[in-house]
Amino acid sequence: VTIDGKSHPMKIGKFIRYYFPSIISDKEASEFSRLYNKIRKGEPVQLGSEIVVKKFAYNPKDVRSTFLSLVTKTYPHGHEDEVLQFLPSLQKDEVGNYYKIIGKNPQTMFTSHLDTADREQSVTKLYSMIENDEEYIVTDESTILGADDKSGVAVMLYMMSHNIPGLYYFFIGEERGGIGSNKLSRTYDTVSYLKDIKRCVSFDRRNYHSVITSQLGRRCCSDEFGTALCKEYNKNGLDLSLDPTGIYTDSASFIDDIRECTNISVGYFHEHTGQEYQNMNYLISLCEASIKVNWNSLPTTRKVGIDQEIVNKHKGLINDIKSSVFELEVKVIGDSGKVFVRVDLDDSDIESISDGLSSVKSLLMKYKMDPDVLFDGTYLKIELK
């Protein structure tokens, strides 16, 4: 490394631990150093032993065999129905997702998604690698593995097989912008079995340690909820902690509807690439811990919805926004007790952005408003006071 113009030798492990302390664990740093040094010396790095997946037999309590059956192929959006052969009998909602209710008036929605991140379906070639007494499932790198999110599917099937009360949702099109969950969120208030839901828990996060507290640049769950959830899992052998670096998964679609929304690490790495792998030991431990969590004891403290006083004050503007057609997605949202007009700039060309913002500006001028404006990721947020 070079510091103040002077070069200094530094061991790989020390470099990683010093510069990436919250990203790469000691275990991962040690494993990287070991493999790096083997390659430097010209020693072969074994891919592992090839897995011959047995004929499928429904047994969700066998986490490994369930997972392997789920990842023998990839399932791009449009192929989700092909996954149903590995699932129990489910109901299909009006927008194409699948769900099952266990228990009476469940308060927790559990989610995973059935699609994978590739464009064309592929048959996978699976291998098992054993390192430090832990098993990692990988491919020959010609395809993704699809642990994102068949790992989450496996967790939910395990929980369902143990009759853990909940609303279990298997979404379509998550890798194409949350198609299924977004459609459901638009009709959320009209779906009777959603009225008692207090918390939404997705199983769709890389690594081993995350309980996500922020998605899409917005707070998705309270620290009180997240901390309590970590404690429930950690007393059953895991090492979870609060993580505000979430990007997006299906639970983010319900931030304005459900008070506590989060995403939990399921032990995959390098998703969306041929180097994707799944720690099978961790996945099994997560499944076993998930059936021991006292879900209904978790606090629900985050506020959702929109401040009614501000809504009444800006009723004309809000109604105009709802009834207008924009080049961009423009929504009125509540976030941390504040009310915003949110403009989504993602995947838009310059002309669409210019026309969309001009339309929003015209409405603000109509109501003689000069509000605060801020950028939040791909969003422009206009605060109403």
Side-chain angles (χ1 to χ4, degrees):
V1 297
T2 301
I3 303 172
D4 295 332
K6 296 181 179 180
S7 295
H8 305 270
M10 183 180 288
K11 290 184 177 181
I12 295 170
K14 184 176 180 181
F15 174 80
I16 291 172
R17 293 181 187 100
Y18 186 81
Y19 287 101
F20 306 100
S22 60
I23 298 174
I24 300 173
S25 69
D26 284 349
K27 180 179 178 181
E28 292 169 314
S30 297
E31 177 60 11
F32 173 80
S33 297
R34 187 185 71 80
L35 293 174
Y36 175 83
N37 287 325
K38 286 187 73 172
I39 292 170
R40 256 182 90 189
K41 296 174 184 177
E43 299 176 7
V45 177
Q46 297 298 321
L47 185 63
S49 56
E50 186 173 355
I51 298 173
V52 178
V53 180
K54 297 178 181 179
K55 184 178 180 180
F56 175 72
Y58 184 71
N59 181 15
K61 292 182 180 180
D62 184 340
V63 179
R64 185 179 186 274
S65 66
T66 297
F67 175 81
L68 292 177
S69 295
L70 289 168
V71 297
T72 53
K73 287 184 180 180
T74 62
Y75 299 91
H77 177 50
H79 291 264
E80 289 95 336
D81 284 0
E82 298 173 30
V83 186
L84 298 179
Q85 62 184 304
F86 305 113
L87 309 182
S89 178
L90 303 172
Q91 291 181 274
K92 191 173 186 178
D93 70 12
E94 294 183 359
V95 293
N97 304 300
Y98 295 91
Y99 71 94
K100 185 177 182 66
I101 298 171
I102 295 180
K104 187 176 181 180
N105 301 322
Q107 298 179 0
T108 306
M109 176 197 289
F110 301 106
T111 90
S112 59
H113 60 89
L114 299 178
D115 63 317
T116 48
D118 44 356
R119 295 286 181 177
E120 296 182 1
Q121 188 172 60
S122 302
V123 175
T124 59
K125 195 168 185 179
L126 303 175
Y127 292 84
S128 171
M129 293 176 54
I130 306 297
E131 297 285 353
N132 299 320
D133 296 324
E134 297 199 342
E135 182 183 26
Y136 300 88
I137 306 299
V138 302
T139 69
D140 63 358
E141 299 191 3
S142 66
T143 70
I144 63 172
L145 174 62
D148 175 12
D149 185 32
K150 295 307 184 296
S151 299
V153 173
V155 173
M156 287 171 50
L157 295 180
Y158 186 87
M159 295 174 68
M160 292 165 66
S161 71
H162 287 83
N163 291 313
I164 304 302
L167 169 60
Y168 293 83
Y169 241 105
F170 300 86
F171 285 109
I172 64 170
E174 191 271 354
E175 300 290 2
R176 295 293 174 263
I179 292 172
S181 56
N182 270 309
K183 285 183 177 179
L184 181 63
S185 71
R186 294 185 196 122
T187 61
Y188 189 91
D189 292 336
T190 68
V191 181
S192 60
Y193 55 80
L194 295 173
K195 64 182 178 66
D196 293 320
I197 298 297
K198 295 181 178 179
R199 57 196 76 90
C200 179
V201 178
S202 293
F203 295 100
D204 186 24
R205 176 69 175 181
R206 70 180 71 89
N207 218 306
Y208 309 127
H209 309 297
S210 296
V211 168
I212 293 297
T213 60
S214 179
Q215 297 184 70
L216 297 175
R218 298 177 60 192
R219 167 72 74 161
C220 60
C221 79
S222 65
D223 285 349
E224 292 85 354
F225 169 82
T227 299
L229 183 55
C230 289
K231 287 181 179 178
E232 285 288 311
Y233 270 109
N234 294 348
K235 71 184 182 183
N236 290 295
L238 272 64
D239 184 24
L240 298 179
S241 59
L242 303 187
D243 181 354
T245 65
I247 301 172
Y248 175 83
T249 192
D250 289 306
S251 59
S253 297
F254 306 103
I255 289 176
D256 293 320
D257 302 298
I258 300 174
R259 295 175 69 182
E260 306 288 1
C261 300
T262 191
N263 189 14
I264 295 177
S265 289
V266 293
Y268 62 65
F269 293 81
H270 304 308
E271 67 278 12
H272 302 187
T273 75
Q275 289 77 46
E276 182 181 15
Y277 65 89
Q278 173 68 47
N279 183 318
M280 185 52 57
N281 295 65
Y282 177 84
L283 184 61
I284 293 170
S285 295
L286 175 64
C287 288
E288 292 172 348
S290 294
I291 65 172
K292 299 175 183 177
V293 171
N294 186 345
W295 294 100
N296 284 344
S297 72
L298 300 174
T300 52
T301 63
R302 189 180 72 94
K303 294 181 179 180
V304 297
I306 297 176
D307 188 299
Q308 195 58 45
E309 184 177 338
I310 296 178
V311 170
N312 293 337
K313 180 180 178 181
H314 299 289
K315 188 174 182 179
L317 171 63
I318 292 172
N319 287 339
D320 278 355
I321 289 172
K322 289 181 177 180
S323 62
S324 297
V325 177
F326 298 96
E327 290 289 324
L328 308 170
E329 181 185 273
V330 180
K331 296 177 68 175
V332 178
I333 65 166
D335 187 10
S336 301
K338 299 179 180 180
V339 180
F340 297 90
V341 177
R342 189 184 72 185
V343 184
D344 188 353
L345 307 179
D346 194 26
D347 291 332
S348 299
D349 56 42
I350 292 176
E351 186 176 351
S352 297
I353 292 173
S354 177
D355 291 344
L357 294 182
S358 293
S359 299
V360 174
K361 180 181 178 181
S362 296
L363 286 177
L364 295 175
M365 292 177 65
K366 174 182 176 180
Y367 290 94
K368 299 179 180 179
M369 293 184 62
D370 184 22
D372 294 334
V373 179
L374 60 94
F375 287 97
D376 190 353
T378 61
Y379 296 104
L380 182 149
K381 293 168 68 174
I382 303 165
E383 184 178 355
L384 305 182
K385 299 180 179 180

